Amino acid sequence: MIGDASLVRVAIRPVRASNMSMKLKKIQREEVACTTSAARPFGCMELWAGNERAHRSLELAGLEADVIAVPSGGKRGGDLSAVFSCSDNIARVVLADCVGHGYVASRVAQHVHRLLHKFQNIRDTAGLLAALNDKFTLDSEKSRGALQLTTVVTGTFDGGTKEFNYAYAAHPRMLLWRGSESRFLEIGEGLENLPLGFVTGELYSEQSIRLQSGDMILAFSDGATEVRSPNGDQLSPRGFLQLAEATLASLPGPVRLAEFSTALLEGVQLHRGSSKLEDDVTLLTLRLSG
């Protein structure tokens, strides 16, 4: 069993869709893991987002960020990554993986992007997922095509407290590099939930972890773990974790995130035996700056 960082569940909030309006019902916190402060105006501005082939490095509130994306067929695919700068010295990242790849998945990814703009100013991480899910599911029910499911991981980082709050919608669990331990850990056990598009009113939960000097967060689409070798052997989540550790160890310090992303992607392609991948692969890496 892959190790898990020390985590505390922060909040669980149900959201129900009624007459196309979203209402959040707050449930009393059982235990507080984050430093709290008085509510202040919250607004987010998109710094970059896309589902095309790309490699971007960005500076956020107390974070370095790097996104590398390789659609499996064509210039665009079903993986959507988005990076936001918000008020209160806060940064937000989103990685969505629409089922399938190619033109259909690309259109679904673009729709998720539009919905993100609609709900980007929801401060609560789990609440953002719930609102996205309800609207996405209702839109899918109106469409004539087949039901489209989308997995999502989203995280909100507070540059003041160094706390990273995150939630999943059936997405692969992120990896946390603990600099003090020199190893990767999976984070988010118990937060799997259902993907977007399955049912309205899904309950999403969130967790929070305080980042320390030298820590790094790695989010990825399942194309990175499900890639198969020419013999049919799947890399697997454990294999990907081991690959990430080996890749980081092979690079001379201080390691630049862009170099790590490039080398890790090359490792995935090496396992595949080709630069042409079966599924879209996106790697989103975050590290404390300074």
Side-chain angles (χ1 to χ4, degrees):
M1 180 175 181
I2 298 173
D4 204 327
S6 176
L7 304 171
V8 178
R9 184 163 298 179
V10 177
I12 300 177
R13 295 178 174 84
V15 176
R16 295 180 179 179
S18 178
N19 297 324
M20 295 297 288
S21 63
M22 307 298 171
K23 294 184 179 180
L24 295 176
K25 179 182 178 182
K26 185 176 180 181
I27 292 180
Q28 185 66 33
R29 294 171 183 261
E30 296 178 358
E31 195 168 355
V32 177
C34 299
T35 301
T36 58
S37 59
R40 285 167 284 186
F42 185 76
C44 292
M45 176 182 67
E46 182 184 290
L47 296 182
W48 182 82
N51 67 319
E52 70 271 14
R53 179 182 294 268
H55 193 182
R56 298 291 182 94
S57 295
L58 305 101
E59 293 292 330
L60 305 174
L63 286 177
E64 303 172 62
D66 190 80
V67 181
I68 188 166
V70 181
S72 62
K75 296 181 179 180
R76 296 179 180 274
D79 286 358
L80 170 72
S81 48
V83 180
F84 297 89
S85 175
C86 307
S87 59
D88 278 357
N89 196 31
I90 290 172
R92 170 170 282 164
V93 295
V94 179
L95 176 55
D97 182 358
C98 306
V99 172
H101 48 272
Y103 177 73
V104 175
S106 176
R107 291 194 63 181
V108 175
Q110 291 168 11
H111 180 58
V112 174
H113 187 194
R114 290 191 292 270
L115 294 183
L116 267 179
H117 279 278
K118 182 179 181 67
F119 300 116
Q120 67 184 25
N121 292 327
I122 295 177
R123 189 180 190 109
D124 175 54
T125 306
L128 171 65
L129 274 187
L132 283 172
N133 174 65
D134 281 1
K135 188 65 170 71
F136 183 84
T137 304
L138 291 171
D139 288 348
S140 296
E141 290 174 352
K142 292 179 179 180
S143 67
R144 295 182 179 180
L147 177 67
Q148 298 293 330
L149 301 178
T150 297
T151 70
V152 183
V153 59
T154 180
T156 306
F157 176 74
D158 188 323
T161 64
K162 303 297 188 292
E163 287 176 9
F164 185 71
N165 185 264
Y166 54 94
Y168 296 94
H171 199 86
R173 285 192 276 173
M174 295 180 291
L175 300 181
L176 166 69
W177 172 262
R178 274 298 195 197
S180 59
E181 301 179 29
S182 297
R183 63 172 180 150
F184 274 111
L185 304 165
E186 279 190 345
I187 58 173
E189 184 176 5
L191 296 185
E192 288 77 12
N193 301 117
L194 293 175
L196 304 190
F198 192 81
V199 64
T200 58
E202 167 68 347
L203 305 180
Y204 291 94
S205 51
E206 58 192 43
Q207 290 178 351
S208 180
I209 190 166
R210 180 165 292 171
L211 299 184
Q212 304 166 0
S213 177
D215 287 354
M216 181 168 64
I217 297 284
L218 173 59
F220 48 92
S221 56
D222 63 10
T225 59
E226 296 179 357
V227 61
R228 294 185 180 277
S229 70
N231 294 327
D233 296 325
Q234 191 178 87
L235 182 56
S236 80
R238 177 175 288 278
F240 180 72
L241 182 151
Q242 294 172 340
L243 175 62
E245 287 187 337
T247 300
L248 198 56
S250 70
L251 297 173
V255 176
R256 294 178 59 247
L257 287 191
E259 293 174 348
F260 172 67
S261 297
T262 299
L264 183 54
L265 176 62
E266 289 175 350
V268 172
Q269 292 171 327
L270 183 62
H271 181 85
R272 170 62 178 158
S274 170
S275 60
K276 295 183 178 179
L277 299 167
E278 303 167 277
D279 195 5
D280 306 327
V281 172
T282 298
L283 308 175
L284 194 162
T285 312
L286 307 170
R287 182 173 62 188
L288 278 179
S289 58

